[in-house]
Amino acid sequence: MATLNDILAVPRFFDMTLLNKHANLERTVDTIEISETPDVSGYLPKHSLLLTTGMAFKDNPKELCELIHSLNALPSAGLAIKLGRFISELDPEVIAFADKLNFPIIQIPPTKTLGEVSHQLLSYIWDNHNESMHFALDVQRNFSSMMMKGASTDALVNHLSSLIKQPMLLINPFGDIDTISRRIKPEDIITQETLNQVVKDVHTYQINPTQLLSYTTIDRHNEPLVATFYPVGNSHCHAYVLVIFQSDQLPYPFSQLAIEQALSVLSFTTYKDNMIKQDKRNAKKEFFNKLIGHDSEVDHDVTHWIDYGKPFGIIQSPIYQVIIGHVSIPDTLDYHEKEIMQLTHEWFDSKIEGYFKNAIFIPNGDQTQLVILLQHKTTQITEQLEALHNELLENLNVTVTFGVGTTIKELSLARFSLNAAKKALEEYDPQQTDFIYYYQNRGISSLISEVSEDDIHYFCTTTLGPLAYPTSESNRELRQTLKVYLDNQCRITETADELFIHRNTVKYRINKCDTLFGQSIEEPLISLQLRLALLLSSDKNRYLTN
């Protein structure tokens, strides 16, 4: 991109003279236009240099000032005027007005026509465009070669930073700094506080990164500093974003096209890296499927599973626990469901250890479900899952409902914790605000949930006889003594103390029970049956309801 400063420094344009002292010569010149129309500014492209004789402004400096004002607002590169025929000399009022706007006014030599000057200037600009094009192609070849040799995104970003001699950083889809240029650092020109704000603003921009955005902040000297946000890749939302600082000061022959060529290679590299990560997650999923599908009757080798899972982060631990997450995507994003789910998996993969020590994220077969394997005892599961849920909602606008399974002591028993987590998640009610559900061990009630009331009544009556549903006070006392005696592991003294009766009374009542049942209640089988019958008959209504 040629500037006025570049043009005036070329020997063949030595006879073009700058008329005002405070002109900004760093204005870009993209094209040349010739016109004598007073309101031409409404028809000019941006960054054009207007050539004129000023015929329409003869003896009318105020209207010439109005033209300069409109050209400056366009913005235009400047005004090149041929003095002599219509305007012999510019009015000081015009010069002062142009200086106030830092707007360049250049005098065209009287020996040249506007057509000649236009042709010479366009030839120079086009030569520059051609050089920029060749340079952009060189950048593309250079970066493609680096990519084919396995260069990382970090290497590509730092190489680009060295080429344009400006600091830059790459922000990942979750608003975190992925790569920051090392040789030319952002901290060299802006404070850490400003850098943090830029990163925060980038994350806001990531919601809809459809166009590059020029962004103005301040440098260490409180002077304006321009940064440009470039989306990397073709993601519809939450793309990687490359931030180039001082993007308005790119050295020649670097151009927007050259940056786009580098970005295309960078996009492919981030895509390749994500596919490698996806392959690793798929391998992890395959391991977990084998773990939960193996036959415990055959495979008791715990060490085997630990060794097999080491590449995926599996460690030897005294406790494991499975958590299942169900992802809900809002209707406004459902047309990007696959992309959002991919981002969600990437988010869990990179963030989960920040919430649970040694935890592992595992994709599930169902796209909307995921698995977290805890490998460390924690007493703050609820607090951590709440924090995880809130951060994910803030970052990706998706919600996750969690089912928490039981703890297990061996990795080979993971399927039991997984099944418990699934059952816990079945309690999810869309009408409720709860999003964390724990498995509730219903104990013996789950074993008899399908048994009819008549069968329960029959079992209790045949086992306990008149003590199943006692109607007399004596039978109620005998039932209570039997229950307390069994609860105290058939110890007479403890039973007497708990019931506040004499030891001999306990002995008498237990002998009476032995006679009633026709055998000693201390026999293991009869003891188990009596305990179960006492439980079912005392809490019959509750267990039947469950």
Side-chain angles (χ1 to χ4, degrees):
M1 294 180 292
T3 65
L4 282 175
N5 202 30
D6 297 330
I7 291 173
L8 295 177
V10 176
R12 59 176 151 158
F13 301 126
F14 75 96
D15 50 0
M16 296 182 67
T17 310
L18 183 67
L19 295 179
N20 54 327
K21 296 180 180 179
H22 301 293
N24 175 17
L25 297 181
E26 295 304 319
R27 296 185 180 222
T28 302
V29 183
D30 286 344
T31 187
I32 307 298
E33 299 290 339
I34 300 176
S35 179
E36 301 293 351
T37 308
D39 60 350
V40 69
S41 60
Y43 306 96
L44 296 179
K46 293 181 178 180
H47 308 297
S48 58
L49 177 65
L50 177 61
L51 309 186
T52 183
T53 62
M55 176 178 62
F57 306 103
K58 182 179 180 181
D59 302 324
N60 199 341
K62 287 187 177 180
E63 284 195 10
L64 184 54
C65 288
E66 290 177 7
L67 174 66
I68 291 172
H69 181 270
S70 60
L71 289 174
N72 185 66
L74 185 58
S76 168
L79 176 67
I81 187 168
K82 181 178 179 180
L83 299 177
R85 183 175 179 184
F86 299 103
I87 300 177
S88 58
E89 186 177 354
L90 282 183
D91 192 294
E93 177 186 353
V94 176
I95 300 293
F97 185 76
D99 273 340
K100 183 179 178 180
L101 300 178
N102 303 121
F103 184 81
I105 300 179
I106 299 170
Q107 181 177 352
I108 297 173
T111 57
K112 291 184 178 179
T113 66
L114 298 186
E116 289 176 328
V117 175
S118 174
H119 177 75
Q120 292 174 356
L121 288 173
L122 285 173
S123 295
Y124 174 80
I125 292 171
W126 289 336
D127 285 343
N128 276 269
H129 285 174
N130 288 336
E131 187 174 355
S132 295
M133 177 71 75
H134 288 301
F135 181 77
L137 293 175
D138 287 341
V139 168
Q140 196 272 340
R141 283 191 290 268
N142 187 2
F143 274 71
S144 296
S145 176
M146 291 179 65
M147 179 189 66
M148 296 301 292
K149 293 178 181 178
S152 64
T153 54
D154 179 82
L156 292 173
V157 168
N158 276 281
H159 184 58
L160 180 59
S161 174
S162 298
L163 283 176
I164 66 174
K165 298 178 174 57
Q166 302 295 359
M168 62 182 62
L169 50 89
L170 182 67
I171 307 294
N172 71 17
F174 314 121
D176 302 322
I177 295 178
D178 184 275
T179 300
I180 191 164
S181 56
R182 294 185 297 272
R183 187 173 300 175
I184 307 174
K185 302 177 182 177
E187 295 93 327
D188 294 339
I189 57 173
I190 59 175
T191 64
Q192 186 63 46
E193 181 181 0
T194 301
L195 178 61
N196 294 341
Q197 185 60 48
V198 170
V199 173
K200 184 178 179 180
D201 292 338
V202 167
H203 191 46
T204 302
Y205 166 75
Q206 284 176 313
I207 297 173
N208 185 27
T210 54
Q211 296 179 342
L212 63 86
L213 172 69
S214 289
Y215 169 96
T216 303
T217 182
I218 55 173
D219 62 16
R220 287 186 174 273
H221 306 292
N222 288 325
E223 294 293 332
L225 182 143
V226 176
T228 302
F229 300 167
Y230 295 88
V232 178
N234 58 356
S235 298
H236 294 92
C237 52
H238 298 278
Y240 280 84
V241 173
L242 182 70
V243 182
I244 299 181
F245 294 93
Q246 296 178 323
S247 53
D248 57 334
Q249 301 177 27
L250 297 181
Y252 179 81
F254 230 97
S255 64
Q256 183 66 34
L257 179 60
I259 292 179
E260 289 174 358
Q261 295 303 310
L263 284 173
S264 66
V265 176
L266 191 58
S267 298
F268 188 85
T269 304
T270 56
Y271 175 80
K272 178 196 68 176
D273 291 345
N274 286 334
M275 288 300 98
I276 292 174
K277 293 176 183 177
Q278 180 63 41
D279 286 343
K280 291 181 179 179
R281 286 194 290 268
N282 289 337
K284 197 189 309 182
K285 179 172 70 174
E286 183 180 350
F287 159 75
F288 188 72
N289 288 338
K290 289 182 179 179
L291 174 64
I292 62 176
H294 81 283
D295 186 356
S296 60
E297 296 291 330
V298 176
D299 195 343
H300 295 283
D301 190 357
V302 178
T303 306
H304 163 73
W305 289 109
I306 300 296
D307 291 340
Y308 184 13
K310 276 183 180 179
F312 313 116
I314 296 294
I315 62 170
Q316 181 72 56
S317 174
I319 190 170
Y320 300 93
Q321 190 170 13
V322 174
I323 299 174
I324 285 184
H326 177 77
V327 181
S328 299
I329 300 174
D331 294 339
T332 54
L333 297 175
D334 61 0
Y335 54 92
H336 294 317
E337 180 176 351
K338 186 175 181 181
E339 188 175 326
I340 293 294
M341 282 306 306
Q342 181 76 13
L343 279 171
T344 303
H345 285 185
E346 291 175 15
W347 191 90
F348 270 94
D349 210 12
S350 62
K351 299 277 189 178
I352 193 62
E353 279 203 74
Y355 290 92
F356 298 103
K357 182 179 179 181
N358 297 324
I360 298 175
F361 161 74
I362 304 165
N364 202 3
D366 185 344
Q367 273 290 324
T368 60
Q369 283 198 349
L370 48 88
V371 173
I372 301 170
L373 177 63
L374 303 186
Q375 302 185 98
H376 191 272
K377 185 176 182 180
T378 175
T379 58
Q380 296 182 319
I381 290 182
T382 299
E383 292 83 353
Q384 294 296 77
L385 288 180
E386 285 178 349
L388 191 155
H389 171 276
N390 294 337
E391 185 177 347
L392 189 61
L393 179 61
E394 180 182 350
N395 277 272
L396 298 181
N397 195 29
V398 300
T399 57
V400 181
T401 305
F402 298 100
V404 183
T406 55
T407 57
I408 51 175
K409 294 183 178 180
E410 293 183 4
L411 183 63
S412 58
L413 303 177
R415 67 187 184 282
F416 295 110
S417 184
L418 176 69
N419 291 335
K422 288 180 178 179
K423 290 180 180 177
L425 200 57
E426 290 173 0
E427 301 297 320
Y428 168 61
D429 183 356
Q431 304 302 320
Q432 302 295 324
T433 57
D434 297 335
F435 55 85
I436 302 175
Y437 296 87
Y438 286 84
Y439 174 71
Q440 302 295 328
N441 191 342
R442 295 171 58 194
I444 198 170
S445 63
S446 62
L447 298 177
I448 64 164
S449 59
E450 302 298 326
V451 181
S452 69
E453 181 178 356
D454 289 341
D455 288 341
I456 291 175
H457 189 277
Y458 175 78
F459 171 75
C460 293
T461 302
T462 55
T463 303
L464 291 173
L467 302 188
Y469 309 104
T471 56
S472 66
E473 184 63 29
S474 60
N475 281 342
R476 280 193 286 270
E477 287 181 349
L478 192 59
R479 175 190 169 98
Q480 178 67 8
T481 302
L482 173 63
K483 180 180 183 305
V484 175
Y485 183 70
L486 291 174
D487 288 345
N488 283 286
Q489 309 303 318
C490 302
R491 291 193 289 265
I492 294 176
T493 301
E494 285 81 350
T495 303
D497 291 342
E498 185 173 333
L499 294 174
F500 300 102
I501 59 178
H502 197 275
R503 284 169 47 89
N504 289 338
T505 303
V506 175
K507 289 181 180 179
Y508 170 75
R509 292 178 181 176
I510 296 305
N511 288 333
K512 194 172 181 179
C513 288
D514 289 343
T515 302
L516 177 65
F517 303 134
Q519 56 186 317
S520 172
I521 64 174
E522 295 183 13
E523 290 292 328
L525 181 58
I526 185 62
S527 176
L528 175 61
Q529 292 176 337
L530 290 173
R531 289 172 186 270
L532 180 58
L534 286 168
L535 177 64
L536 295 179
S537 58
S538 62
D539 291 325
K540 184 183 70 169
N541 290 334
R542 175 167 66 85
Y543 279 97
L544 287 177
T545 301
N546 287 339

